[in-house]
Amino acid sequence: MELGQMQKSLQDYTKSLFVEGILDSQFLQLPQLQDESNSDFVSQVVSLFFQDSDRILNDLSLSLDQKVVDFEKVDPYVHQLKGSSSSIGAQRVKNACVVFRSFCEQKNVEACHRCLQQVKQEYYLVKNRLETLFKLEQQIVASGGMISAMDLGF
Amino acid sequence: MVCEMETDQIEEMDVEVLSSMWPDDVGTQADNQFNVEKPAGDSDTLKEVDIAEKRTMADLKRLPELLNTTDQGSSQLTNLVRQWEYMQDHAVRLLREELKILTRQREEAEAKELKIIEEHNFETEEPESVPVLDETSHLFRRFRQKKRDELVDSKRVVIDEEFDTVAYWKQKALSLEKMLEASTERERRLIEKLNESLKTMESHSAPVEELTQNLKRAEGFLHFILQNAPIVMGHQDKDLRYLFIYNKFPSLREQDILGKTGVEIFHGGGVKESEDFKREVLEKGKASKREITFETELFGSKTFLIYVEPVYNKAREKIGINYMGMEVTDQVRKREKMAKLREDNAVRKAMESELTKTIHITEETMRAKQMLATMSHEIRSPLSGVVGMAEILSTTKLDKEQRQLLNVMISSGDLVLQLINDILDLSKVESGVMKLEATKFRPREVVKHVLQTAAASLKKDLTLEGNIADEVPILVVGDVLRIRQILTNLISNAIKFTHRGKVGIKLKVISEPSFASDKEQNETSVWICCDVYDTGIGIPENALPCLFKKYMQASADHARKYGGTGLGLAICKQLVELMGGQLTVTSQVNLGSTFTFILPYKVATSDDHSDDQDEFSDMVDHHQPEPDDTTEGYFQFKALLGSIYSNGGPVMGSNFLPHKAMLTSPIKLINGSVADPSNSSGQSQTVQVENGGYMDESESAHQYGNGNGHRCSYKESESCSSSQASSEMESELTVSSPREEEKTETEVKETSQPKILLVEDNKINIMVAKSMMKQLGYTMDIANNGVEAINAVKDTSYDLVLMDVCMPVMDGLKATRLIRSYEESGNWDAAIEAGVDIKTSESEQGCERSTDRLPIVAMTANTLAESSEECYANGMDSFISKPVTLQKLKECLQQYLQ
């Protein structure tokens, strides 16, 4: 594929992430923090997010599957996930977490299970999309292109 | 009715043991037991049944007569007669059959005889030659028959002698004679039997005896069935006099009942009704049933199901009634109980559903309110960003038009912020989230401060005055934050609607008001009445009622003219009521209004400055308080327009927080950061107060519009000496000297790189924040929770702490409280008490820092639990809402690291 075309599709793809509400403007903060000294800050943060979230979701599933659900344990996990997703701008994961926490407060096990599924769904969606995004970027870099913060913007 | 009851209830009733209809222990005298007949001694089916008592009595003379004259009676007799006739018929039939059998037997015998004779004839014809005897002698014929019988029975008479000899005939005659004898014998027996039968027939023919027995049996059967049944039966004539009664009340004697009417026998409820009912049946001629409850002295309250049928004589004339009553008291009671239960159940169900509905509505409301609060918070964070940026923009070089546009932008933004803050406050009070703090404070200082703040942004020629009565305690306990909020709100409201004259606050102690609840009253409590008065436009009387309602202003006209959210007074009222007080207003159009609130306060027992927790402690501690500062009862402030440049005195920017951050934070001044062209002369004391874009008063924004950097100033009135005032203001609004010195030292040591601590548990957040810091040219230390933060603060002298609120181990609020407690007390006792492991190697600089206040900025998520109010209440100076952006961080660092 031609470089210009790739850059165009990267832009479109990024735009679609915002349009669909998968990401919010907070994500735009990340490229701004990239400089020569740490040029792949975005992917570092995002992969840390993936690692962290995989672990949290795993812990959450375990906690919720207990016979007696300890909401004192569940809530901090959700809080954690909410914090990190909001930091990288994974808006839909964050929103799902907000709902999740309200049900934690009500100690509604059934609703929490539903929320967990919702959060997982949103998480895998954003993960999938971001991985595709990074792949596109890598392709562009491999073809000698540059990724500017503007490419990630609107 | 019973039949309507549910099946299980019926079953339940069925298993219950029936109590006897009449009490057991009431009279059993012999005359009560009227026996119609002797006990059945005969061998009928009931002979083993013990018919214990026959509580029947009847008018014996009348009864047979009755039986004879009534339909029912005659039919009974007819029945019995018919039965007897049937039995007689049966007996006759049996006898006839027997007779028939006998006749047949005789006929057979004759037929046999005939045959014998014929045979004999044949024999005579062939072997015999004695026809004379054969034809004439009957006897002879019999012999023959006999002989033939023997032949038939294959017992042929064996005659050994030769045929037609004398011996032969002799023998034959002999055997025939024998047969004849047997036949005669049989005949005799049959006759005997016939006679016997006739005799028995005669003995069976007594109908009376039979009838009597049948009657006995029927009687016995009835007793068997009825002896224990809770049933009363009776017959009454057409005057309703009893002729017959079965199973009457035991204590009544025969003469008490027979020949009398029900009304004559019983007294009480139901008697009349039953009498009427019987009469009705008698009149209508139709049998019917009714349930009647009796309330008599004799047997108390009992319910009977009564069946009454009219009785006719043979001429179809009514001659009386039969009646049958069954006692159903228990059933009725149960039925009623059941009905009541069902009714209760229905009521309870209705109530339950009502309650559920209410709960549902309440939950919905709460959710809506929380939603509102969250939304407001969500809106506030970005909006404060917008306003803050606009303010920063206003400090840059702008032409006139740009500045005007910007001013509109800022004032609009401020208005929205104010509105959102108001909504947040309201919804918090309403959803019960708002908590009141109890802190010691000095009312005089609060009043003074509020007036100073108001004066600072005053653009009108008004006099602001404060007047505190002598008896008002110097130190009281209450929620100073809220009280200040109320005062500020009322004062700014008053200023808004006053164009000339004065606005003031008056404080005095009053006796306990009538609405106060007794229990809260104790010796150390004092009620203080606070008047906020003005000489403004006043409020028309008809507008007073809706004054404290949400989103209401006196009139649409006013709303247009004066702006505002219409929430301020509503919040004031709610806050005052939350604190157990009352807010009222009196007003006269064109003369002014007075808002009065009365609140209970506890009088602080000690006036010790060392444990003084109030917001002004640092301010008070940092400079030598004026001797009369705590007891001064009168203040006056005036806006001196346009005097700033002429006197060259202290000029201050008025853009500080009116009632929130200002109280809790030492206001940092950004010297010279105001790029104001008109101020280029280098007035060193012209300062701008940064507050993170957290401005509540719309007035504060207007100052930007007052020409090029025109600053409002204040001037102490004669009552306070001007030197006092200036030194006081200086100490409040500029960095106090000890800190300045220390800061310089630190700066020298650290080569002007400020030390920042980030307290955060989320790795990703840390990573992002760290990168942002790096981008902004700072580095920072990381603590993962409150405990680590405290240890870090203890060991290192930081210039700024960014504190996450919600963290494991120890949250940010508690950590901040502990740090503040250290700053006040100079030791970490509180932290140690809270379980924090403090390493005891206290460095000297720790003591040095203990007088200083470390800026702590909260990082909050958008939840009610992490509200900005709570952050301030716990000693934080400001907050950044999450997620943190470069811009927010930059603003924060600019504010605190200059």
Side-chain angles (χ1 to χ4, degrees):
Chain A
M1 220 195 294
E2 204 215 316
L3 190 61
Q5 223 176 339
M6 283 200 286
Q7 269 166 337
K8 173 86 174 63
S9 69
L10 174 64
Q11 271 180 26
D12 289 346
Y13 191 73
T14 313
K15 202 169 168 182
S16 77
L17 292 181
F18 287 99
V19 171
E20 287 171 42
I22 295 170
L23 297 178
D24 64 18
S25 59
Q26 181 68 20
F27 186 73
L28 297 177
Q29 293 276 320
L30 305 182
Q32 291 179 37
L33 305 173
Q34 242 165 219
D35 53 29
E36 293 80 43
S37 63
N38 69 16
S39 53
D40 54 339
F41 174 75
V42 178
S43 65
Q44 269 177 30
V45 174
V46 170
S47 39
L48 179 62
F49 171 68
F50 289 159
Q51 270 174 34
D52 207 40
S53 303
D54 282 333
R55 182 184 54 78
I56 291 175
L57 286 174
N58 193 32
D59 289 347
L60 259 179
S61 306
L62 287 176
S63 301
L64 274 181
D65 281 340
Q66 299 294 314
K67 251 182 211 157
V68 179
V69 178
D70 183 2
F71 285 98
E72 301 289 315
K73 262 170 81 182
V74 173
D75 191 58
Y77 286 135
V78 187
H79 177 71
Q80 186 90 0
L81 188 58
K82 184 187 151 213
S84 15
S85 54
S86 118
S87 265
I88 72 148
Q91 182 173 233
R92 279 160 68 159
V93 176
K94 186 193 87 179
N95 291 344
C97 286
V98 172
V99 179
F100 200 156
R101 284 199 80 188
S102 71
F103 283 116
C104 281
E105 224 166 273
Q106 294 170 20
K107 302 203 188 309
N108 185 339
V109 180
E110 198 198 325
C112 280
H113 274 288
R114 278 204 309 276
C115 284
L116 179 62
Q117 287 317 309
Q118 181 69 25
V119 167
K120 276 184 173 171
Q121 199 180 321
E122 298 295 355
Y123 168 66
Y124 291 125
L125 180 70
V126 74
K127 187 176 180 185
N128 198 353
R129 294 297 189 88
L130 283 175
E131 276 167 353
T132 313
L133 185 77
F134 289 135
K135 242 175 239 161
L136 265 171
E137 281 184 19
Q138 277 164 11
Q139 279 173 9
I140 292 171
V141 174
S143 339
M146 285 286 288
I147 306 291
S148 65
M150 285 309 286
D151 288 335
L152 295 171
F154 290 101
Chain B
M1 291 300 285
V2 180
C3 57
E4 284 168 12
M5 289 184 201
E6 286 148 52
T7 347
D8 53 340
Q9 285 155 349
I10 289 170
E11 279 165 10
E12 192 180 291
M13 278 160 42
D14 282 347
V15 292
E16 224 166 273
V17 179
L18 265 181
S19 60
S20 140
M21 176 173 61
W22 304 129
D24 294 329
D25 52 349
V26 184
T28 45
Q29 292 138 306
D31 66 342
N32 290 338
Q33 320 292 319
F34 181 79
N35 292 343
V36 176
E37 58 183 347
K38 282 173 192 138
D42 119 320
S43 60
D44 59 35
T45 45
L46 295 169
K47 74 174 174 193
E48 280 172 39
V49 176
D50 172 34
I51 297 167
E53 43 180 349
K54 290 164 188 151
R55 294 183 283 199
T56 312
M57 57 175 69
D59 192 332
L60 274 185
K61 281 177 221 145
R62 298 284 304 277
L63 189 58
E65 192 186 311
L66 195 68
L67 288 176
N68 289 335
T69 51
T70 60
D71 271 358
Q72 284 95 329
S74 52
S75 79
Q76 164 76 352
L77 279 179
T78 322
N79 254 340
L80 283 170
V81 168
R82 202 176 292 144
Q83 205 177 348
W84 183 80
E85 275 171 1
Y86 171 76
M87 286 189 69
Q88 293 309 308
D89 282 350
H90 188 64
V92 167
R93 204 171 60 240
L94 279 175
L95 285 171
R96 278 204 187 116
E97 262 168 28
E98 220 163 314
L99 198 63
K100 228 178 179 167
I101 290 164
L102 284 171
T103 322
R104 205 173 53 229
Q105 277 177 348
R106 186 194 280 171
E107 273 168 8
E108 270 171 18
E110 275 167 8
K112 270 181 194 165
E113 200 176 2
L114 206 69
K115 263 188 189 159
I116 290 166
I117 292 164
E118 273 168 14
E119 200 178 294
H120 189 72
N121 281 346
F122 170 75
E123 273 176 15
T124 331
E125 270 166 33
E126 298 236 302
E128 256 184 271
S129 55
V130 196
V132 188
L133 264 171
D134 210 354
E135 262 141 45
T136 53
S137 165
H138 188 69
L139 255 174
F140 188 69
R141 209 167 33 189
R142 281 195 168 205
F143 279 124
R144 276 195 189 179
Q145 192 188 7
K146 190 110 188 180
K147 183 187 166 198
R148 208 195 129 206
D149 274 353
E150 275 174 13
L151 282 173
V152 171
D153 294 350
S154 70
K155 278 197 271 169
R156 200 173 234 286
V157 179
V158 182
I159 298 158
D160 303 328
E161 298 305 315
E162 218 175 309
F163 182 71
D164 218 13
T165 60
V166 177
Y168 170 82
W169 286 116
K170 221 180 187 170
Q171 246 177 25
K172 192 157 185 176
L174 259 165
S175 57
L176 284 172
E177 201 171 359
K178 265 182 202 152
M179 280 168 76
L180 185 66
E181 265 170 25
S183 187
T184 319
E185 172 68 14
R186 205 156 57 213
E187 202 164 338
R188 194 188 52 79
R189 270 208 309 270
L190 280 171
I191 288 163
E192 233 169 58
K193 215 174 181 181
L194 193 67
N195 285 339
E196 223 172 85
S197 286
L198 280 170
K199 232 182 249 168
T200 38
M201 242 167 93
E202 272 166 20
S203 73
H204 272 284
S205 58
V208 182
E209 203 178 320
E210 190 104 356
L211 269 173
T212 315
Q213 267 184 24
N214 281 338
L215 274 170
K216 269 187 191 166
R217 209 172 289 148
E219 176 85 18
F221 170 72
L222 282 175
H223 279 303
F224 170 64
I225 295 291
L226 295 174
Q227 63 178 333
N228 286 320
I231 286 174
V232 181
M233 291 185 290
H235 173 82
Q236 286 164 290
D237 64 15
K238 55 183 177 194
D239 297 324
L240 296 179
R241 291 184 186 286
Y242 278 97
L243 296 182
F244 170 85
I245 187 160
Y246 174 84
N247 207 3
K248 55 159 186 74
F249 190 77
S251 73
L252 292 172
R253 286 162 307 165
E254 190 179 343
Q255 57 266 37
D256 291 333
I257 294 177
L258 293 181
K260 289 186 177 169
T261 62
V263 188
E264 286 166 349
I265 303 164
F266 304 106
H267 302 281
V271 178
K272 184 81 176 39
E273 190 188 348
S274 78
E275 206 75 1
D276 290 344
F277 174 52
K278 285 170 189 168
R279 198 154 283 136
E280 194 186 308
V281 170
L282 200 60
E283 274 162 24
K284 284 189 179 163
K286 256 187 190 164
S288 67
K289 283 183 281 190
R290 185 175 292 182
E291 211 174 79
I292 294 171
T293 303
F294 291 92
E295 275 285 350
T296 64
E297 284 170 27
L298 199 60
F299 51 81
S301 173
K302 279 193 190 302
T303 306
F304 285 82
L305 177 64
I306 289 176
Y307 167 75
V308 180
E309 62 173 11
V311 179
Y312 300 95
N313 64 8
K314 279 169 183 155
R316 302 299 298 165
E317 285 163 342
K318 287 173 221 165
I319 56 157
I321 52 139
N322 282 343
Y323 105 96
M324 181 185 276
M326 184 180 231
E327 195 224 346
V328 289
T329 314
D330 291 348
Q331 285 73 13
V332 169
R333 209 170 287 152
K334 267 176 210 153
R335 195 177 65 208
E336 277 164 5
K337 218 185 270 173
M338 212 67 78
K340 199 163 178 292
L341 273 176
R342 261 205 302 272
E343 198 177 292
D344 286 356
N345 237 5
V347 169
R348 200 167 308 128
K349 260 183 198 156
M351 271 163 68
E352 243 164 55
S353 70
E354 193 68 22
L355 206 65
T356 327
K357 223 184 274 168
T358 318
I359 288 169
H360 188 72
I361 291 167
T362 316
E363 275 175 355
E364 283 293 301
T365 318
M366 292 303 290
R367 207 166 301 145
K369 276 180 187 151
Q370 181 151 356
M371 183 74 197
L372 192 67
T374 315
M375 286 291 294
S376 306
H377 202 111
E378 291 274 6
I379 297 164
R380 186 165 64 178
S381 310
L383 193 65
S384 54
V386 171
V387 175
M389 284 305 96
E391 273 159 10
I392 291 169
L393 193 61
S394 77
T395 63
T396 58
K397 240 184 184 167
L398 297 169
D399 65 30
K400 205 180 168 191
E401 201 188 341
Q402 283 172 330
R403 191 164 292 281
Q404 269 174 358
L405 292 174
L406 201 57
N407 285 336
V408 173
M409 191 172 151
I410 289 168
S411 62
S412 313
D414 276 333
L415 215 66
V416 179
L417 269 180
Q418 174 65 41
L419 178 64
I420 288 165
N421 285 334
D422 286 354
I423 291 172
L424 257 176
D425 278 349
L426 260 187
S427 53
K428 261 198 229 158
V429 174
E430 279 171 6
S431 57
V433 176
M434 176 86 74
K435 284 181 209 109
L436 292 174
E437 302 266 317
T439 44
K440 284 181 199 169
F441 69 96
R442 300 189 180 88
R444 285 169 184 78
E445 279 183 5
V446 172
V447 170
K448 188 170 162 188
H449 217 102
V450 167
L451 290 174
Q452 273 178 354
T453 311
S457 59
L458 198 60
K459 297 185 302 288
K460 298 171 180 172
D461 186 14
L462 293 175
T463 306
L464 306 185
E465 55 182 24
N467 202 334
I468 293 118
D470 293 340
E471 73 269 19
V472 173
I474 288 169
L475 206 59
V476 296
V477 176
D479 190 334
V480 67
L481 227 72
R482 300 294 157 205
I483 291 162
R484 273 193 67 116
Q485 187 178 350
I486 295 162
L487 274 176
T488 310
N489 247 323
L490 292 177
I491 280 288
S492 65
N493 204 51
I495 291 172
K496 197 199 270 182
F497 294 106
T498 307
H499 305 296
R500 70 184 71 81
K502 55 187 179 178
V503 170
I505 301 175
K506 206 184 283 167
L507 244 61
K508 60 176 186 274
V509 173
I510 54 160
S511 57
E512 189 195 347
S514 54
F515 64 81
S517 52
D518 298 332
K519 57 176 178 183
E520 281 176 23
Q521 186 65 10
N522 59 46
E523 278 174 30
T524 54
S525 173
V526 64
W527 287 82
I528 296 176
C529 169
C530 179
D531 289 327
V532 176
Y533 55 90
D534 63 60
T535 55
I537 58 168
I539 304 155
E541 206 170 314
N542 59 8
L544 286 176
C546 62
L547 203 60
F548 295 114
K549 284 191 186 142
K550 277 178 261 181
Y551 310 106
M552 291 284 234
Q553 285 190 327
S555 77
D557 251 9
H558 286 101
R560 271 197 297 279
K561 197 168 166 190
Y562 296 102
T565 62
L567 280 173
L569 286 175
I571 292 169
C572 287
K573 189 172 168 68
Q574 285 199 346
L575 286 175
V576 168
E577 279 164 9
L578 193 68
M579 291 188 272
Q582 207 174 46
L583 174 63
T584 52
V585 61
T586 55
S587 183
Q588 265 183 299
V589 176
N590 292 328
L591 287 175
S593 316
T594 303
F595 287 84
T596 306
F597 67 91
I598 38 182
L599 280 179
Y601 304 86
K602 282 206 190 76
V603 180
T605 44
S606 115
D607 201 357
D608 186 5
H609 277 231
S610 64
D611 70 330
D612 190 350
Q613 302 268 331
D614 83 33
E615 273 74 14
F616 315 107
S617 60
D618 45 353
M619 161 188 107
V620 173
D621 290 343
H622 291 165
H623 65 93
Q624 210 47 44
E626 281 73 29
D628 58 347
D629 185 48
T630 51
T631 51
E632 176 67 61
Y634 184 76
F635 321 102
Q636 198 178 59
F637 302 93
K638 240 184 180 123
L640 291 183
L641 297 158
S643 64
I644 320 158
Y645 304 114
S646 55
N647 66 7
V651 178
M652 54 162 278
S654 58
N655 182 18
F656 51 73
L657 262 184
H659 64 265
K660 286 193 174 109
M662 174 168 187
L663 299 176
T664 50
S665 62
I667 289 149
K668 283 271 196 162
L669 303 172
I670 309 166
N671 285 306
S673 77
V674 185
D676 196 329
S678 71
N679 200 24
S680 53
S681 58
Q683 298 247 355
S684 63
Q685 278 150 316
T686 303
V687 290
Q688 186 200 355
V689 180
E690 277 280 337
N691 60 19
Y694 204 82
M695 293 183 297
D696 281 12
E697 303 301 314
S698 54
E699 280 90 346
S700 63
H702 299 319
Q703 53 147 326
Y704 290 102
N706 280 344
N708 294 325
H710 174 205
R711 294 281 178 264
C712 303
S713 67
Y714 71 94
K715 186 187 157 202
E716 294 270 19
S717 73
E718 295 75 23
S719 62
C720 292
S721 78
S722 111
S723 65
Q724 262 181 6
S726 57
S727 72
E728 191 177 335
M729 288 315 287
E730 223 162 33
S731 61
E732 264 181 57
L733 296 168
T734 58
V735 180
S736 56
S737 46
R739 183 178 169 96
E740 199 101 73
E741 282 160 26
E742 189 220 42
K743 197 172 174 184
T744 346
E745 279 169 34
T746 323
E747 273 166 10
V748 169
K749 265 190 257 162
E750 308 269 321
T751 56
S752 73
Q753 175 66 273
K755 293 222 43 131
I756 302 166
L757 176 69
L758 173 69
V759 191
E760 166 70 70
D761 63 315
N762 190 314
K763 276 186 269 175
I764 289 137
N765 292 355
I766 292 171
M767 191 170 174
V768 171
K770 218 170 174 177
S771 300
M772 286 178 173
M773 278 296 181
K774 195 177 148 202
Q775 200 73 14
L776 294 169
Y778 297 100
T779 56
M780 61 182 182
D781 295 343
I782 310 290
N784 284 315
N785 57 52
V787 174
E788 286 185 28
I790 286 173
N791 274 313
V793 168
K794 182 181 74 68
D795 295 336
T796 315
S797 165
Y798 286 103
D799 297 297
L800 176 66
V801 176
L802 297 174
M803 181 85 80
D804 186 20
V805 172
C806 187
M807 280 182 298
V809 188
M810 181 189 284
D811 67 32
L813 299 176
K814 191 167 183 193
T816 307
R817 272 203 312 277
L818 293 175
I819 291 169
R820 292 288 179 241
S821 140
Y822 161 71
E823 284 172 354
E824 274 154 23
S825 64
N827 60 56
W828 287 102
D829 291 351
I832 291 160
E833 215 168 283
V836 181
D837 185 21
I838 298 284
K839 285 139 213 148
T840 43
S841 60
E842 188 90 16
S843 62
E844 306 97 299
Q845 68 181 106
C847 305
E848 202 185 316
R849 278 188 300 114
S850 68
T851 51
D852 204 1
R853 193 179 162 100
L854 171 66
I856 300 177
V857 175
M859 298 196 292
T860 67
N862 307 311
T863 57
L864 271 185
E866 297 179 14
S867 67
S868 54
E869 270 74 16
E870 209 168 349
C871 294
Y872 293 131
N874 279 284
M876 286 165 163
D877 297 313
S878 175
F879 75 91
I880 305 179
S881 72
K882 281 181 171 181
V884 177
T885 61
L886 260 179
Q887 194 56 46
K888 284 188 226 167
L889 202 59
K890 198 169 158 189
E891 285 167 32
C892 172
L893 296 180
Q894 274 177 357
Q895 184 183 347
Y896 289 99
L897 298 174
Q898 283 290 331

